Amino acid sequence: MANLNSDLAALRIPQESRAGGRGRPALVITILVLVAVLAGGGWFWSTQLQATPVKVATVSSKSSGASAPGAVLNASGYVTARRRATVSSKVTGKVVDVLVEEGHAVRAGQVLAHLDDTQVRAALALAEAQLAAARKSAAEDQARLQQAELTLGRRQQLVKENVVGKAELDEAQSTVDALKARIAYAEQQVAVAESQVNMQKTNLADMVVRAPFSGIAISKDAQPGEMISPVSAGGGFTRTGICTIVDMSSLEVEVDVNESYINRVRNGQRVEAVLDAYPDWRIPAHVITTIPSADRQKATVKVRIGFNELDPRILPDMGVKVSFLGEERPAATGAPAAPRAALPKDAVRSVDGRTVVFVVNDQRVERRAIALGLENGGEVEVVSGVSAGERVVLNAPQTLKDGDKVKVQ
């Protein structure tokens, strides 16, 4: 037995003599590190490099206070004035004074400014002097005619008595006829001189700039000493207007309606308008007309809306939102309408005949069908499908599918 144990001990190989005895743990560690690196690279490839870059927007919660109950369409636009004019002069001249300031009320025919009329007054004085001379010349010829007619009468009597010959009678008759022709010419000269005087008086009246209609001056465009012209001339040194007047009784609203929804608008339709400056003030209004022309660039149709009753708070160029109301006015409930979700129109897509959006959740997108409400500018209400606070993809690529990985830019 002792020999057997000694023989076995002789056959045992020392640990330090075994090939690779110390290198095997290092190899195992190297293999594990490589596996980890490959797994990490695969995860990065699958989650980052293969993710589609997208832009997102957050679904907002919009109170329906800006949308009237019973509205079939919302739109936005501006308050405009149908009667608005930049008042200028009929002639080019130098401004002497301006008698209006911004915010002043003016009446039709009121004097707004005077132009330098020195030369026009001199021309008028010359025309009046020429008229006076023409009238005096005509008076002189008229006196000569009376004398010639007396001479003609005497010679006719002398011819009857055979005192003078027929030749002297013919000479007297010729003198009378010549003076009558001269008087007719002088009367025409007087008429021409009167026309010259009237023309110069008109030019003098044109040196006074008057208001064409009653309204409010909203801008003062010229100062004393500046040149003004009815046409653009002289670069920036010549003004083309004295002031701008707006007839506040002609205020109305112009809105652009998407041509896809223009069939919801009709003449005389009830409208509620809300000024951006007074968001809690609902103004009753009505559709005046739909302008029969579409804008091919914006795919919109312009609609004119009139206020049922004007108010001093309504000013030109104010921003306004309008709600086109349906046939039946809903009953008042007293409770405020529940807020609705709203999202940009760029997030909405049509897939297989359904309106959908792509909702971002944990770096993946979920294609979700939605029901849309009213459109308001660049946003659209969502009746169902998404909730406020969720993120949706804007301008989603055509290749984006449900469950795809995305990377938010």
Side-chain angles (χ1 to χ4, degrees):
M1 187 66 182
N3 293 333
L4 180 58
N5 290 335
S6 60
D7 292 339
L8 291 175
L11 294 174
R12 182 179 302 167
I13 301 174
Q15 182 68 24
E16 59 275 7
S17 299
R18 295 180 181 179
R22 294 183 177 179
R24 181 170 296 178
L27 178 63
V28 173
I29 293 174
T30 302
I31 293 174
L32 291 178
V33 170
L34 290 176
V35 171
V37 169
L38 291 175
W43 175 85
F44 180 79
W45 173 266
S46 61
T47 59
Q48 299 295 325
L49 296 183
Q50 287 188 336
T52 303
V54 295
K55 293 182 179 181
V56 300
T58 303
V59 180
S60 59
S61 177
K62 297 291 184 181
S63 173
S64 61
S67 177
V72 297
L73 179 66
N74 288 341
S76 58
Y78 296 92
V79 178
T80 61
R82 296 298 295 177
R83 297 185 69 189
R84 175 176 180 155
T86 298
V87 184
S88 183
S89 62
K90 295 182 180 180
V91 296
T92 301
K94 181 180 179 181
V95 180
V96 175
D97 56 20
V98 179
L99 307 178
V100 67
E101 296 290 342
E102 294 90 340
H104 284 184
V106 297
R107 304 181 307 277
Q110 179 178 335
V111 176
L112 303 179
H114 293 94
L115 304 185
D116 185 6
D117 57 3
T118 305
Q119 293 183 351
V120 179
R121 287 187 180 276
L124 176 59
L126 175 60
E128 289 176 342
Q130 291 173 342
L131 174 60
R135 285 174 176 172
K136 288 181 179 180
S137 178
E140 180 184 358
D141 292 338
Q142 189 68 35
R144 284 181 165 184
L145 176 61
Q146 292 177 359
Q147 180 63 34
E149 288 177 343
L150 290 175
T151 303
L152 176 62
R154 293 191 189 101
R155 291 190 178 180
Q156 287 175 344
Q157 184 64 32
L158 293 173
V159 168
K160 289 179 181 180
E161 297 176 355
N162 296 321
V163 175
V164 296
K166 186 75 166 49
E168 293 184 8
L169 177 61
D170 293 341
E171 182 180 357
Q173 183 65 50
S174 176
T175 301
V176 170
D177 294 340
L179 287 173
K180 285 183 177 180
R182 185 181 179 89
I183 289 174
Y185 174 75
E187 289 176 349
Q188 290 295 326
Q189 290 295 100
V190 170
V192 171
E194 288 176 346
S195 298
Q196 291 286 345
V197 170
N198 293 333
M199 183 181 68
Q200 296 301 331
K201 286 182 178 179
T202 301
N203 292 339
L204 182 61
D206 290 342
M207 296 294 105
V208 180
V209 182
R210 299 180 182 272
F213 53 81
S214 299
I216 302 294
I218 63 171
S219 69
K220 181 179 178 182
D221 305 320
Q223 297 292 340
E226 293 183 319
M227 294 297 294
I228 186 171
S229 174
V231 295
S232 180
F237 299 100
T238 302
R239 302 291 184 178
T240 55
I242 293 293
C243 66
T244 300
I245 298 177
V246 172
D247 183 0
M248 291 300 183
S249 64
S250 68
L251 294 181
E252 60 183 42
V253 177
E254 286 187 358
V255 297
D256 290 330
V257 176
N258 192 302
E259 63 182 19
S260 302
Y261 305 107
I262 196 62
N263 58 341
R264 303 182 187 180
V265 180
R266 66 185 186 282
N267 292 346
Q269 183 177 1
R270 292 183 299 109
V271 176
E272 280 194 357
V274 177
L275 298 174
D276 293 346
Y278 303 97
D280 298 327
W281 178 28
R282 295 187 179 275
I283 308 172
H286 60 278
V287 175
I288 298 176
T289 187
T290 299
I291 298 178
S293 177
D295 188 329
R296 67 170 64 182
Q297 301 295 330
K298 299 187 294 183
T300 58
V301 177
K302 192 176 295 295
V303 178
R304 291 175 53 201
I305 298 171
F307 295 103
N308 292 354
E309 192 171 321
L310 292 173
D311 189 277
R313 290 174 289 180
I314 303 175
L315 301 177
D317 298 328
M318 273 187 166
V320 60
K321 294 180 176 60
V322 298
S323 299
F324 296 88
L325 305 182
E327 291 290 342
E328 299 295 332
R329 185 183 295 272
T333 60
R340 290 186 176 183
L343 48 77
K345 291 191 295 184
D346 294 339
V348 180
R349 280 185 52 184
S350 180
V351 178
D352 299 331
R354 304 178 66 186
T355 303
V356 301
V357 294
F358 288 92
V359 181
V360 179
N361 187 10
D362 293 335
Q363 296 185 345
R364 291 184 180 272
V365 293
E366 173 190 354
R367 194 181 77 178
R368 194 179 299 177
I370 60 173
L372 299 180
L374 298 177
E375 183 178 338
N376 187 7
E379 291 189 338
V380 61
E381 291 183 354
V382 182
V383 178
S384 62
V386 293
S387 303
E390 291 186 304
R391 296 186 302 168
V392 293
V393 178
L394 295 176
N395 298 313
Q398 295 295 330
T399 57
L400 192 64
K401 303 184 299 297
D402 186 24
D404 284 355
K405 299 180 183 298
V406 295
K407 179 172 61 175
V408 178
Q409 292 183 333

